[in-house]
Amino acid sequence: MEILFLGSELLRQKAERIKDIDTDIKKIAEELIETMHNGKGIGLAGPQVGLMKRIFAVHVDKDVPRIFINPSIIETSQELVKYEEGCLSIPGVWAEVSRPKALKIQAWNEKGRPFTLEAAGILARAILHEYDHLEGTLFFDRLPELKRTKLIAKFEKVRSKQQVQG
Ligand code: NI
């Protein structure tokens, strides 16, 4: 799978619910995890690879890779925490983003089994970041406008340098 970068319209669109969790979805889930690992990311959502479906993968340290299909965030903690985030679709750019510390999520896995998960810390962080991708939201949308503008400028600078280097 090819990761789309900032500038792609698809990153700004809402993903659609998956109707059948079949063998195709199983294969997509495997490829999502593989692409996430290759990119050394801790999460990757369908829209980031041009797949406008409600699916994402998350793999944080000391945990197994997890697939979330048609997720619903049931609860989030009142308490917010700041943590530095990056995104495989916006390489080279990092910023501290404030988000709920913990959450409860319901979803289906790649085998079609429903599950509910309570998460905190980095796992909750990754889930919220990936869930945003299903809504067409990027992490810097959660920052003040001036900060966002600066980040976009930085990203463009990094990209143009990479293109010069080939
Ligand atoms: Ni991302």
Side-chain angles (χ1 to χ4, degrees):
M1 288 174 167
E2 291 264 341
I3 296 175
L4 303 177
F5 295 120
L6 182 64
S8 166
E9 268 304 301
L10 293 178
L11 290 175
R12 289 318 205 163
Q13 289 171 21
K14 205 172 154 163
E16 284 171 18
R17 253 186 107 75
I18 293 173
K19 289 189 190 90
D20 296 303
I21 303 172
D22 51 17
T23 45
D24 282 354
I25 293 297
K26 232 174 159 175
K27 195 159 182 289
I28 284 168
E30 276 170 25
E31 283 181 35
L32 256 188
I33 290 171
E34 195 187 316
T35 309
M36 169 181 70
H37 285 159
N38 288 343
K40 298 194 178 5
I42 61 167
L44 187 65
Q48 290 184 274
V49 292
L51 182 81
M52 303 315 291
K53 303 274 183 202
R54 301 188 80 79
I55 180 170
F56 62 76
V58 164
H59 189 188
V60 302
D61 236 12
K62 293 172 189 149
D63 194 17
V64 291
R66 296 175 187 270
I67 290 288
F68 298 78
I69 294 169
N70 297 338
S72 310
I73 292 171
I74 300 168
E75 251 177 70
T76 51
S77 64
Q78 293 276 317
E79 193 185 343
L80 303 178
V81 282
K82 270 192 174 180
Y83 199 86
E84 191 161 74
E85 285 184 35
C87 180
L88 287 175
S89 293
I90 319 170
V93 172
W94 300 79
E96 277 202 335
V97 184
S98 188
R99 294 189 192 265
K101 191 180 183 183
L103 62 85
K104 194 176 191 179
I105 187 170
Q106 191 273 320
W108 282 261
N109 69 14
E110 68 281 14
K111 291 169 191 142
R113 290 197 193 113
F115 65 94
T116 304
L117 178 75
E118 286 184 42
I122 187 83
L123 181 60
R125 171 71 42 166
I127 288 170
L128 290 167
H129 177 116
E130 297 315 321
Y131 186 88
D132 270 357
H133 276 299
L134 304 184
E135 299 294 309
T137 300
L138 300 172
F139 77 90
F140 58 44
D141 296 339
R142 300 195 172 276
L143 299 172
E145 196 178 338
L146 183 64
K147 212 160 181 194
R148 180 165 61 243
T149 309
K150 273 187 186 165
L151 282 182
I152 294 171
K154 191 182 171 196
F155 167 76
E156 278 162 3
K157 212 170 153 188
V158 171
R159 289 301 289 165
S160 63
K161 220 183 248 173
Q162 281 169 346
Q163 277 155 9
V164 170
Q165 287 168 352

Short mmCIF file of all heavy atoms in Angstrom, two decimals, residues 1-4 24-36 38-39 44-46 48-51 55:
data_model
loop_
_atom_site.label_atom_id
_atom_site.label_comp_id
_atom_site.label_asym_id
_atom_site.label_seq_id
_atom_site.Cartn_x
_atom_site.Cartn_y
_atom_site.Cartn_z
N MET A 1 0.84 -1.20 0.00
CA MET A 1 0.00 0.00 0.00
C MET A 1 0.87 1.24 0.00
O MET A 1 1.92 1.27 0.64
CB MET A 1 -0.87 0.01 1.26
CG MET A 1 -1.98 -1.03 1.24
SD MET A 1 -2.85 -1.05 2.85
CE MET A 1 -4.29 -2.04 2.41
N GLU A 2 0.40 2.26 -0.69
CA GLU A 2 1.12 3.53 -0.77
C GLU A 2 0.50 4.53 0.21
O GLU A 2 -0.71 4.74 0.18
CB GLU A 2 0.99 4.12 -2.17
CG GLU A 2 1.73 3.35 -3.24
CD GLU A 2 3.11 3.94 -3.52
OE1 GLU A 2 3.32 5.13 -3.16
OE2 GLU A 2 3.95 3.22 -4.06
N ILE A 3 1.33 5.14 1.02
CA ILE A 3 0.82 6.13 1.96
C ILE A 3 0.64 7.48 1.27
O ILE A 3 1.54 7.94 0.55
CB ILE A 3 1.75 6.25 3.19
CG1 ILE A 3 1.76 4.92 3.96
CG2 ILE A 3 1.31 7.40 4.10
CD1 ILE A 3 2.73 4.85 5.12
N LEU A 4 -0.53 8.07 1.45
CA LEU A 4 -0.81 9.39 0.88
C LEU A 4 -0.30 10.47 1.82
O LEU A 4 -0.33 10.32 3.03
CB LEU A 4 -2.32 9.58 0.70
CG LEU A 4 -3.05 8.55 -0.16
CD1 LEU A 4 -4.55 8.85 -0.17
CD2 LEU A 4 -2.49 8.54 -1.58
N ASP A 24 -11.60 -10.27 2.04
CA ASP A 24 -10.96 -9.06 1.47
C ASP A 24 -10.51 -8.13 2.60
O ASP A 24 -9.41 -7.58 2.57
CB ASP A 24 -11.94 -8.29 0.59
CG ASP A 24 -12.11 -8.93 -0.78
OD1 ASP A 24 -11.37 -9.91 -1.06
OD2 ASP A 24 -12.96 -8.46 -1.54
N ILE A 25 -11.38 -7.97 3.59
CA ILE A 25 -11.05 -7.08 4.71
C ILE A 25 -9.88 -7.65 5.52
O ILE A 25 -9.00 -6.92 5.97
CB ILE A 25 -12.30 -6.86 5.61
CG1 ILE A 25 -13.36 -6.07 4.86
CG2 ILE A 25 -11.93 -6.16 6.92
CD1 ILE A 25 -12.97 -4.65 4.44
N LYS A 26 -9.88 -8.97 5.65
CA LYS A 26 -8.78 -9.62 6.37
C LYS A 26 -7.44 -9.31 5.69
O LYS A 26 -6.44 -9.02 6.34
CB LYS A 26 -9.01 -11.14 6.37
CG LYS A 26 -8.94 -11.74 7.74
CD LYS A 26 -9.30 -13.20 7.70
CE LYS A 26 -8.73 -13.89 8.92
NZ LYS A 26 -9.15 -15.28 9.01
N LYS A 27 -7.46 -9.36 4.36
CA LYS A 27 -6.25 -9.10 3.59
C LYS A 27 -5.86 -7.62 3.72
O LYS A 27 -4.68 -7.29 3.87
CB LYS A 27 -6.49 -9.46 2.12
CG LYS A 27 -5.23 -9.55 1.33
CD LYS A 27 -5.37 -10.38 0.07
CE LYS A 27 -4.03 -10.46 -0.65
NZ LYS A 27 -3.65 -9.17 -1.26
N ILE A 28 -6.86 -6.76 3.66
CA ILE A 28 -6.61 -5.32 3.81
C ILE A 28 -5.99 -5.05 5.18
O ILE A 28 -5.05 -4.27 5.32
CB ILE A 28 -7.94 -4.53 3.63
CG1 ILE A 28 -8.29 -4.48 2.13
CG2 ILE A 28 -7.84 -3.13 4.21
CD1 ILE A 28 -9.70 -3.98 1.83
N ALA A 29 -6.52 -5.72 6.21
CA ALA A 29 -6.01 -5.54 7.58
C ALA A 29 -4.53 -5.93 7.65
O ALA A 29 -3.72 -5.21 8.23
CB ALA A 29 -6.84 -6.37 8.55
N GLU A 30 -4.20 -7.05 7.05
CA GLU A 30 -2.80 -7.51 7.05
C GLU A 30 -1.90 -6.50 6.35
O GLU A 30 -0.81 -6.19 6.82
CB GLU A 30 -2.68 -8.85 6.29
CG GLU A 30 -3.01 -10.06 7.14
CD GLU A 30 -3.12 -11.33 6.31
OE1 GLU A 30 -2.51 -11.39 5.21
OE2 GLU A 30 -3.85 -12.23 6.75
N GLU A 31 -2.38 -6.00 5.22
CA GLU A 31 -1.56 -5.04 4.45
C GLU A 31 -1.41 -3.71 5.18
O GLU A 31 -0.36 -3.07 5.12
CB GLU A 31 -2.17 -4.82 3.06
CG GLU A 31 -1.89 -5.97 2.12
CD GLU A 31 -2.47 -5.75 0.74
OE1 GLU A 31 -2.51 -4.59 0.27
OE2 GLU A 31 -2.91 -6.75 0.13
N LEU A 32 -2.48 -3.31 5.88
CA LEU A 32 -2.41 -2.07 6.67
C LEU A 32 -1.34 -2.19 7.74
O LEU A 32 -0.52 -1.28 7.93
CB LEU A 32 -3.75 -1.82 7.37
CG LEU A 32 -4.71 -0.76 6.86
CD1 LEU A 32 -5.86 -0.61 7.86
CD2 LEU A 32 -4.08 0.58 6.57
N ILE A 33 -1.34 -3.34 8.44
CA ILE A 33 -0.36 -3.56 9.50
C ILE A 33 1.05 -3.58 8.91
O ILE A 33 1.97 -2.96 9.46
CB ILE A 33 -0.68 -4.87 10.27
CG1 ILE A 33 -1.95 -4.68 11.11
CG2 ILE A 33 0.49 -5.30 11.17
CD1 ILE A 33 -2.50 -5.94 11.74
N GLU A 34 1.20 -4.24 7.79
CA GLU A 34 2.52 -4.32 7.15
C GLU A 34 3.02 -2.92 6.73
O GLU A 34 4.18 -2.57 6.96
CB GLU A 34 2.41 -5.24 5.93
CG GLU A 34 3.75 -5.70 5.39
CD GLU A 34 3.60 -6.47 4.09
OE1 GLU A 34 2.69 -7.33 4.00
OE2 GLU A 34 4.38 -6.19 3.16
N THR A 35 2.12 -2.15 6.14
CA THR A 35 2.50 -0.80 5.69
C THR A 35 2.85 0.09 6.89
O THR A 35 3.81 0.87 6.85
CB THR A 35 1.35 -0.17 4.87
OG1 THR A 35 0.96 -1.10 3.86
CG2 THR A 35 1.76 1.14 4.23
N MET A 36 2.08 -0.06 7.97
CA MET A 36 2.35 0.69 9.21
C MET A 36 3.74 0.33 9.75
O MET A 36 4.52 1.21 10.10
CB MET A 36 1.27 0.37 10.24
CG MET A 36 1.54 0.86 11.65
SD MET A 36 0.19 0.40 12.78
CE MET A 36 0.42 -1.38 12.90
N ASN A 38 6.28 -1.00 8.08
CA ASN A 38 7.32 -0.52 7.15
C ASN A 38 7.59 0.97 7.34
O ASN A 38 8.73 1.41 7.20
CB ASN A 38 6.90 -0.77 5.70
CG ASN A 38 6.98 -2.23 5.33
OD1 ASN A 38 7.61 -3.03 6.04
ND2 ASN A 38 6.30 -2.62 4.25
N GLY A 39 6.54 1.72 7.66
CA GLY A 39 6.69 3.16 7.85
C GLY A 39 7.14 3.52 9.26
O GLY A 39 7.28 4.68 9.58
N LEU A 44 -2.15 3.39 11.51
CA LEU A 44 -2.39 3.71 10.11
C LEU A 44 -3.87 3.47 9.82
O LEU A 44 -4.41 2.41 10.17
CB LEU A 44 -1.53 2.84 9.19
CG LEU A 44 -1.54 3.18 7.70
CD1 LEU A 44 -0.95 4.56 7.43
CD2 LEU A 44 -0.79 2.13 6.88
N ALA A 45 -4.51 4.45 9.19
CA ALA A 45 -5.94 4.35 8.90
C ALA A 45 -6.18 4.20 7.40
O ALA A 45 -5.39 4.68 6.59
CB ALA A 45 -6.66 5.59 9.43
N GLY A 46 -7.29 3.56 7.04
CA GLY A 46 -7.66 3.34 5.65
C GLY A 46 -7.45 4.55 4.73
O GLY A 46 -6.75 4.43 3.72
N GLN A 48 -5.51 6.90 4.78
CA GLN A 48 -4.08 7.23 4.55
C GLN A 48 -3.48 6.43 3.41
O GLN A 48 -2.39 6.75 2.92
CB GLN A 48 -3.26 6.97 5.82
CG GLN A 48 -3.56 7.95 6.92
CD GLN A 48 -2.65 7.71 8.11
OE1 GLN A 48 -2.97 6.89 8.95
NE2 GLN A 48 -1.53 8.40 8.16
N VAL A 49 -4.16 5.33 3.03
CA VAL A 49 -3.69 4.56 1.87
C VAL A 49 -4.74 4.60 0.76
O VAL A 49 -4.79 3.75 -0.12
CB VAL A 49 -3.32 3.10 2.25
CG1 VAL A 49 -2.08 3.09 3.14
CG2 VAL A 49 -4.47 2.39 2.95
N GLY A 50 -5.61 5.62 0.83
CA GLY A 50 -6.60 5.83 -0.22
C GLY A 50 -7.79 4.90 -0.14
O GLY A 50 -8.60 4.81 -1.07
N LEU A 51 -7.92 4.20 0.98
CA LEU A 51 -9.02 3.27 1.17
C LEU A 51 -10.05 3.95 2.07
O LEU A 51 -9.82 4.10 3.27
CB LEU A 51 -8.46 2.01 1.85
CG LEU A 51 -9.44 0.89 2.10
CD1 LEU A 51 -9.63 0.08 0.83
CD2 LEU A 51 -8.92 0.00 3.20
N ILE A 55 -11.62 1.65 8.85
CA ILE A 55 -10.70 0.65 9.40
C ILE A 55 -9.37 1.32 9.73
O ILE A 55 -8.93 2.21 9.00
CB ILE A 55 -10.48 -0.52 8.41
CG1 ILE A 55 -9.51 -1.58 8.99
CG2 ILE A 55 -9.99 -0.05 7.05
CD1 ILE A 55 -9.42 -2.87 8.17
#
